[in-house]
Amino acid sequence: MSFKSAVITFPGSNCDRDALCYLKDLTKGEVHNIWHEETSLPKVDLVILPGGFSFGDYLRSGAMASKSKIIDEVVKHANDNRYLLGICNGFQILTEIGLLEGALIRNKKLKFLGKNCFIKKKFKNNFNLSIKDNQILQIPVAHNEGNFYCDTETLNLLKNNEQIAFEYCKGEFSNTEENINGSIEAIAGITNKKKNVLGMMPHPERAYSDFHQSQDGRLIIESLIS
Amino acid sequence: MNEELILQHGLTLDEFHVIRKYLNRDLSIEELGIFSAMWNEHCCYKTSKKWLKKLPTDNEIVIQGPGENAGVIDLQDNDGIAFKIESHNHPSYIEPFNGSATGVGGILRDIFTMGARPIATLDSIRFGLIETEKTKYLLNGVVHGIGHYGNCIGIPNIGGECEFESTYDFNNLVNAMAVGHVQKDKIFYSKPKSIGGLIVYIGSKTGKDGIHGASMASDVFSEEDEDEKRPSVQVGDPFMEKLLMEGCLELMSSGLIESMQDMGAAGITSSSVEMASKGNVGVYINLDKVPLRQPLSAYEILLSESQERMLAVIDKKNNHKVREILQKWQIDYEVIGEITDTKRVVFESNNKKVVDLPVEIIVDDAPEYDREFYIPRKRKNKDFDFSKIKLEDMITNLLTNLNYLDKSWVFDQYDSTVMGDTIREPGQSSGIVKIHGTQKVIGASTDCNPLYLRINPYEGMKYTVAESYRNLIACNINPLAITNNLNFASPLDPNIMGELVLSIHGLKTAAVKFNTPIVSGNVSLYNQTNEIPIKPTPVIGMVGSNMDLNKINTNKFCEIGNKILILGKQLKKNCSPYLLQDQKIAFNICEFNDLDVLDLDFEKKIANCVLELSDLKCIMSCNDISRGGIFSALLKMQYKDMGFRVKVPDPIDLFCEYSAGYVIEIRSKDFEEVTSFLTKKGAEYLKIGEIVKEGIEINSKKFDYFDIMNKYRNDFEKIIS
């Protein structure tokens, strides 16, 4: 059975095309592009909320997009136990909707950060099945507000429920700090309790093709398909 | 009209009398505003035109040369590449964040106005000495502004340059370049097609920002001007630009518009006048229809430089469809006028014609000056004393000079991988992106050697063009065409004018030899404050291609044990300007010896060797040799745990500049093949050493690898904080 997926485009999304290519190339299945004003969503296995600056990130990153017409459908999709992946701005939108815990605040150094980063998986879920324990993935980040924050109570919940999917780490020979943006416990991506919704700051859709510097981003789609 | 008012508008009294005589009547204040906007250097190139005409602008691959919003070259099949560089120097000094952000916004609009989707940006930024708080403020603001705009709209920043020199203490330079991809049969031009076509306004509402921006950019600064001129700096909104770009590209691909103009410098005035002039038609515009952010007078509407606005011409029958598409993107849209057959520019406000001028007097009769210029005097030969120079000190001199340190602090604030097609990121000799859905890649580099240019503007310009050329060649990118940004001080000084004239001449010589025509460009004059002129800084943006992305070279070391070879010819110690300056041997500009004549045929010969060896897959990595010589090139090539061991007759040679200089890494097993190839081509080479694990060794002397690499990578941030 072929894997079906969709990417939502908001005004200001700028990684929607990248996400569409990522899905087309790796799933080989049907891929839909959905405009934020739509009120219905085709029945698909995976929905991606892509990176970018939805509505200019005015007010607060992801805040306005979380009130878009399509969001009701996205929530229904997640409640149906199907996969939902928010990348970068998509992660921010997921926390604004309330599908994921915590918030993404400004990077520790108060500067945009666009570079390769290194992550490894923390707790197992369907998005990281194909990734080995302690395997270091090289995937680019590009964000101004990627510093994951939550209170201690929530952090304990995230740990107890094994909701932390990825954490930043140091790469071999790399000059990069272990925790690039100051996130609590170096968290790079979390899931919901049911583990069918993942939000992550790194961009796997920029690390999958032969000509990319790394192909580690494939592993996420491969995990879902396997 | 009183003299003071005329002078305030940046016109000379002579210029005013030409207009007055032609019209044989008095001008309205709005009309005076129009001449102020259209007759300044920024818009009409009155000083540089005579010399710019001499540049080569055409060859078999040029689709569009200078004169449109951007130049376009042919990349086979149906692929065209549109690109241009533009300055935002003055605004970025007054308000660094918004000044640089709107510089990026403006150049991106120039690209998508042509129907091209922007696929990369680069920038060339120059600041004064970092020791002053002002420079730190400017650096932070400019980098933040460039990053903010490009990141938000989602175009990767793939490279550029960032230098520090006291000559820019009061005049920092911000030149932004953009590259776009366009289908050759879908290029849009600013020339309107039919009389009666509707002139439509698309984009942000008009406000008071940027009034007189273009004429400010054509003025000399004094220190107290800064606060007073701040309101002339435009404010950018990259989110609006993203919507505008998507909306316009959708309109163009749907075939709903005839022509388009960006409302850039001098806003609605310059875009509508240019439209009329290109089409040899007239325009009628009702200013009451212009969407406004706040109540404005006709004069203010005409001169506002509010950002993210376009002017387009459409067929009446498409009005409804255009409105529908733009509504989806939440963009303001208004029909404000029409194309007429009068060959006059008419603006109406409150049922009154406030401007009624023949296009001819504004455009064709714009002044063109043949300013006096001096040729620099011949330099005396001087022998410098190198006997006290120690290798350790030379290395320290580089590692404490911002210009040599790794500039990740800058590049990391830019999104360089968005769009998913980036092959080489900033920090390499050239930035490289793939054309979406193909195997073709585009490489681009921006460069300038202001010190060379001050010593000898003609030869210095040849070296500058050659440096861009080498940056592309090192990656196995075939150089194709040039965009340029001529940043100079006041041309009213014949010495400065001489630098301008001679460097354009040098640009011509090099561009003809390399067959890289100049297809677009920009001139920024009057970069001086308190009568201190900047060094001549004509920045070159060179674009090239390779049809096969698998063939391009990396600039980073590949494997321990591989051999290091040097190609090219070392400049003599006495004639290696950056060596003399940065190693603190020469201090005053009059001390420097003249530049060696750059042999462009030799440049081509060595470049062809590099390209051929790359295609034979004999080159594992390659970097060009520029400021800081072989040593600096090797530092930039360092990767993972790899270092180098080299032996040279004189360690100072490692820091000298080169003509046609390249460092290449080859496998031991290819050594015979490579060297016999080079011998056959008559290209001299020097085997200087090999790649080693975690070490830096020069003439058997070992240096602390980790200490040097740590300083190289991390000290930039320490010094600027």
Side-chain angles (χ1 to χ4, degrees):
Chain A
M1 224 186 53
S2 88
F3 190 90
K4 293 179 186 158
S5 56
V7 175
I8 314 286
T9 298
F10 303 93
S13 294
N14 62 28
C15 303
D16 45 340
R17 190 189 76 173
D18 311 2
L20 287 165
C21 294
Y22 175 62
L23 291 172
K24 275 178 200 155
D25 287 0
L26 298 181
T27 68
K28 311 282 181 206
E30 239 173 74
V31 184
H32 302 267
N33 188 196
I34 310 292
W35 182 241
H36 72 116
E37 284 184 310
E38 300 282 323
T39 47
S40 72
L41 196 59
K43 219 172 170 60
V44 292
D45 302 292
L46 166 69
V47 170
I48 289 187
L49 303 184
F53 289 65
S54 54
F55 297 92
D57 272 359
Y58 293 136
L59 187 58
R60 203 168 56 237
S61 308
M64 313 230 319
S66 74
K67 307 290 177 214
S68 278
K69 283 186 187 160
I70 194 67
I71 294 301
D72 287 345
E73 292 300 306
V74 172
V75 173
K76 272 189 214 157
H77 168 92
N79 290 340
D80 265 2
N81 248 334
R82 280 173 288 152
Y83 298 125
L84 174 59
L85 168 60
I87 302 169
C88 199
N89 194 221
F91 186 7
Q92 295 162 342
I93 297 169
L94 288 174
T95 62
E96 286 289 341
I97 299 173
L99 283 172
L100 293 178
E101 305 286 350
L104 293 142
I105 59 174
R106 287 191 71 187
N107 298 340
K108 181 179 54 186
K109 285 192 177 168
L110 303 178
K111 290 204 183 319
F112 188 92
L113 199 59
K115 66 194 299 183
N116 273 308
C117 81
F118 300 89
I119 57 172
K120 58 186 184 197
K121 87 171 177 190
K122 174 95 173 173
F123 296 112
K124 197 170 79 179
N125 57 53
N126 284 348
F127 292 93
N128 62 20
L129 275 180
S130 304
I131 300 166
K132 295 184 205 80
D133 292 339
N134 287 321
Q135 181 180 356
I136 294 174
L137 276 55
Q138 179 187 321
I139 298 184
V141 287
H143 58 246
N144 200 24
E145 286 97 14
N147 181 347
F148 182 80
Y149 178 79
C150 62
D151 57 28
T152 321
E153 202 180 325
T154 310
L155 182 64
N156 288 333
L157 276 176
L158 290 176
K159 283 186 196 168
N160 294 338
N161 298 331
E162 304 196 335
Q163 285 173 249
I164 301 169
F166 295 108
E167 57 189 5
Y168 300 108
C169 61
K170 205 167 164 55
E172 201 190 0
F173 310 121
S174 132
N175 192 31
T176 312
E177 291 170 75
E178 208 152 320
N179 183 355
I180 49 165
N181 56 21
S183 292
I184 281 194
E185 308 233 336
I187 288 174
I190 57 165
T191 63
N192 59 345
K193 212 170 159 185
K194 289 195 291 182
K195 300 189 187 173
N196 66 317
V197 179
L198 169 69
M200 63 189 293
M201 288 316 292
H203 286 272
E205 81 283 15
R206 299 185 192 180
Y208 74 92
S209 191
D210 293 343
F211 66 84
H212 288 143
Q213 286 187 20
S214 151
Q215 289 72 42
D216 294 340
R218 288 173 165 266
L219 293 168
I220 289 168
I221 298 300
E222 284 170 9
S223 297
L224 291 178
I225 290 176
S226 67
Chain B
M1 208 161 251
N2 76 49
E3 287 188 8
E4 201 184 337
L5 193 63
I6 294 162
L7 296 175
Q8 268 172 7
H9 279 77
L11 293 170
T12 67
L13 295 180
D14 287 343
E15 287 169 350
F16 178 78
H17 289 310
V18 171
I19 303 165
R20 181 74 183 69
K21 197 171 154 209
Y22 182 99
L23 295 177
N24 198 23
R25 64 168 166 85
D26 249 334
L27 282 74
S28 68
I29 182 72
E30 290 84 4
E31 287 171 336
L32 183 66
I34 284 190
F35 282 103
S36 156
M38 297 303 297
W39 280 23
N40 63 53
E41 293 284 357
H42 193 85
C43 288
C44 84
Y45 302 101
K46 55 189 169 189
T47 294
S48 50
K49 197 158 35 175
K50 172 185 159 100
W51 302 102
L52 292 174
K53 278 181 195 158
K54 299 183 186 295
L55 290 173
T57 57
D58 200 15
N59 71 4
E60 60 290 348
I61 63 154
V62 174
I63 298 173
Q64 175 64 54
E68 274 289 339
N69 288 292
V72 186
I73 57 170
D74 189 340
L75 211 66
Q76 299 177 16
D77 310 313
N78 196 23
D79 296 318
I81 294 299
F83 64 99
K84 193 185 181 188
I85 192 167
E86 204 161 76
S87 62
H88 242 214
N89 302 335
H90 296 72
S92 301
Y93 184 75
I94 298 171
E95 216 293 72
F97 175 80
N98 278 304
S100 63
T102 53
V104 176
I107 196 66
L108 287 172
R109 279 195 300 285
D110 280 334
I111 300 303
F112 68 75
T113 304
M114 302 296 292
R117 177 171 284 278
I119 56 172
T121 62
L122 295 92
D123 48 84
S124 166
I125 52 181
R126 288 187 159 73
F127 302 93
L129 294 179
I130 198 67
E131 285 73 16
T132 65
E133 282 305 310
K134 175 87 187 183
T135 298
K136 286 176 188 167
Y137 160 76
L138 291 172
L139 173 69
N140 271 289
V142 165
V143 171
H144 186 198
I146 291 173
H148 176 67
Y149 210 99
N151 299 344
C152 184
I153 189 167
I155 314 294
N157 184 309
I158 59 165
E161 46 172 357
C162 171
E163 287 200 333
F164 299 84
E165 229 248 65
S166 61
T167 189
Y168 307 109
D169 276 347
F170 299 98
N171 289 88
N172 62 332
L173 301 183
V174 175
N175 296 176
M177 173 171 167
V179 182
H181 172 236
V182 60
Q183 290 178 314
K184 268 168 9 194
D185 53 4
K186 297 238 168 79
I187 300 173
F188 276 80
Y189 299 99
S190 49
K191 180 179 171 179
K193 288 178 190 153
S194 54
I195 306 291
L198 299 181
I199 299 176
V200 299
Y201 176 111
I202 301 171
S204 290
K205 292 181 169 61
T206 298
K208 277 195 176 186
D209 44 337
I211 290 173
H212 280 307
S215 44
M216 166 190 80
S218 308
D219 205 357
V220 182
F221 268 0
S222 70
E223 240 168 312
E224 54 273 18
D225 274 1
E226 225 179 284
D227 288 321
E228 201 176 298
K229 286 190 170 167
R230 196 158 290 129
S232 302
V233 179
Q234 313 88 322
V235 177
D237 177 357
F239 172 56
M240 177 47 82
E241 177 116 326
K242 167 74 175 166
L243 300 180
L244 186 65
M245 176 175 85
E246 297 299 344
C248 288
L249 290 174
E250 187 173 337
L251 288 180
M252 291 195 254
S253 65
S254 318
L256 290 173
I257 55 173
E258 283 184 12
S259 72
M260 197 168 240
Q261 263 287 21
D262 153 40
M263 283 192 244
I268 201 169
T269 295
S270 121
S271 51
S272 55
V273 168
E274 272 176 46
M275 223 169 223
S277 164
K278 294 261 171 59
N280 198 22
V281 292
V283 291
Y284 159 80
I285 287 175
N286 184 349
L287 294 174
D288 302 337
K289 303 267 188 192
V290 172
L292 299 181
R293 207 187 297 155
Q294 66 208 100
L296 294 180
S297 68
Y299 176 85
E300 288 170 319
I301 297 171
L302 283 168
L303 296 180
S304 163
E305 289 189 7
S306 287
Q307 297 289 289
E308 293 95 22
R309 303 179 303 160
M310 297 291 226
L311 207 59
V313 178
I314 64 165
D315 193 311
K316 274 189 182 119
K317 69 175 195 292
N318 291 328
N319 189 9
H320 184 67
K321 282 186 204 156
V322 172
R323 191 178 295 276
E324 244 174 34
I325 288 181
L326 293 172
Q327 250 162 15
K328 172 184 150 195
W329 291 104
Q330 304 171 348
I331 300 168
D332 271 318
Y333 168 76
E334 208 56 63
V335 176
I336 61 167
E338 67 175 41
I339 299 293
T340 65
D341 59 2
T342 59
K343 299 187 186 179
R344 296 179 81 83
V345 177
V346 179
F347 289 104
E348 203 178 276
S349 171
N350 290 324
N351 298 320
K352 199 178 132 223
K353 277 186 190 172
V354 289
V355 173
D356 185 357
L357 297 166
V359 178
E360 181 187 54
I361 172 79
I362 312 174
V363 180
D364 305 337
D365 293 355
E368 182 178 332
Y369 293 117
D370 184 2
R371 299 201 196 276
E372 188 186 11
F373 64 93
Y374 300 154
I375 308 272
R377 264 182 311 186
K378 192 140 179 54
R379 288 174 173 270
K380 288 194 197 103
N381 275 334
K382 178 170 174 184
D383 266 329
F384 292 95
D385 177 15
F386 291 91
S387 62
K388 293 191 186 72
I389 302 282
K390 286 203 208 97
L391 178 57
E392 292 78 3
D393 297 340
M394 296 186 82
I395 294 176
T396 305
N397 281 336
L398 294 204
L399 293 175
T400 49
N401 182 332
L402 278 184
N403 294 309
Y404 290 102
L405 298 175
D406 181 76
K407 297 187 181 69
S408 296
W409 180 88
V410 176
F411 308 137
D412 285 355
Q413 296 187 51
Y414 304 150
D415 189 345
S416 54
T417 51
V418 64
M419 293 183 94
D421 284 321
T422 304
I423 312 267
R424 291 280 180 273
E425 295 169 26
Q428 305 230 11
S429 74
S430 57
I432 302 178
V433 286
K434 193 166 80 82
I435 296 191
H436 195 66
T438 74
Q439 291 291 300
K440 298 176 193 175
V441 297
I442 293 295
S445 175
T446 59
D447 299 279
C448 189
N449 290 320
L451 176 62
Y452 282 43
L453 277 135
R454 172 102 331 144
I455 294 170
N456 182 333
Y458 175 74
E459 285 300 327
M461 192 66 194
K462 283 167 61 190
Y463 276 96
T464 286
V465 179
E467 180 164 341
S468 266
Y469 182 76
R470 281 177 229 150
N471 277 330
L472 296 182
I473 295 286
C475 296
N476 197 17
I477 295 288
N478 188 25
L480 295 175
I482 290 174
T483 180
N484 66 351
N485 203 130
L486 307 175
N487 307 285
F488 287 85
S490 168
L492 304 178
D493 174 345
N495 292 307
I496 303 294
M497 192 62 206
E499 293 179 338
L500 177 69
V501 170
L502 289 170
S503 62
I504 291 176
H505 196 54
L507 175 58
K508 177 189 165 188
T509 308
V512 167
K513 186 58 92 179
F514 293 149
N515 192 20
T516 49
I518 288 89
V519 299
S520 57
N522 178 246
V523 179
S524 170
L525 303 176
Y526 301 97
N527 290 291
Q528 64 182 58
T529 298
N530 301 338
E531 293 182 16
I532 305 168
I534 62 159
K535 282 190 181 137
T537 317
V539 173
I540 292 299
M542 197 182 276
V543 170
S545 72
N546 192 321
M547 293 299 157
D548 181 358
L549 70 91
N550 296 308
K551 285 188 174 163
I552 56 172
N553 295 333
T554 171
N555 297 140
K556 301 286 182 192
F557 287 149
C558 272
E559 204 179 335
I560 292 166
N562 281 349
K563 304 283 173 235
I564 300 169
L565 255 57
I566 304 297
L567 303 182
K569 190 168 155 246
Q570 185 197 311
L571 303 188
K572 294 188 287 283
K573 279 189 284 191
N574 278 323
C575 303
S576 207
Y578 282 113
L579 169 83
L580 298 171
Q581 176 189 272
D582 297 338
Q583 294 300 341
K584 299 163 189 168
I585 298 161
F587 294 91
N588 195 314
I589 195 77
C590 24
E591 286 182 81
F592 290 86
N593 288 316
D594 201 358
L595 298 174
D596 275 345
V597 172
L598 181 66
D599 181 348
L600 295 167
D601 286 311
F602 179 67
E603 283 283 345
K604 271 177 77 173
K605 184 172 95 173
I606 301 300
N608 285 330
C609 290
V610 175
L611 293 180
E612 278 190 55
L613 285 172
S614 305
D615 283 348
L616 292 169
K617 299 267 176 197
C618 286
I619 292 184
M620 295 296 99
S621 71
C622 178
N623 199 3
D624 69 303
I625 304 173
S626 53
R627 184 173 187 177
I630 295 170
F631 184 82
S632 175
L634 288 170
L635 273 190
K636 287 183 200 152
M637 294 174 84
Q638 188 279 339
Y639 187 54
K640 288 189 173 170
D641 58 345
M642 289 174 268
F644 52 88
R645 171 163 58 217
V646 296
K647 264 201 166 76
V648 284
D650 177 358
I652 295 175
D653 294 346
L654 287 177
F655 299 83
C656 287
E657 288 122 80
Y658 263 70
S659 63
Y662 300 89
V663 178
I664 59 173
E665 172 193 348
I666 57 169
R667 288 171 295 214
S668 302
K669 70 177 178 72
D670 295 332
F671 186 74
E672 286 298 322
E673 189 186 343
V674 171
T675 51
S676 66
F677 171 90
L678 291 169
T679 312
K680 203 169 71 199
K681 296 277 176 186
E684 282 173 44
Y685 64 90
L686 197 65
K687 183 190 163 229
I688 61 159
E690 55 270 310
I691 297 171
V692 296
K693 186 179 164 67
E694 292 172 355
I696 292 178
E697 193 181 314
I698 298 168
N699 290 359
S700 302
K701 190 172 171 59
K702 287 188 173 148
F703 291 85
D704 186 338
Y705 170 79
F706 293 101
D707 179 53
I708 290 181
M709 291 324 301
N710 183 32
K711 284 181 174 143
Y712 172 68
R713 285 164 167 178
N714 299 326
D715 277 10
F716 186 92
E717 186 170 353
K718 282 185 197 152
I719 295 173
I720 59 141
S721 310

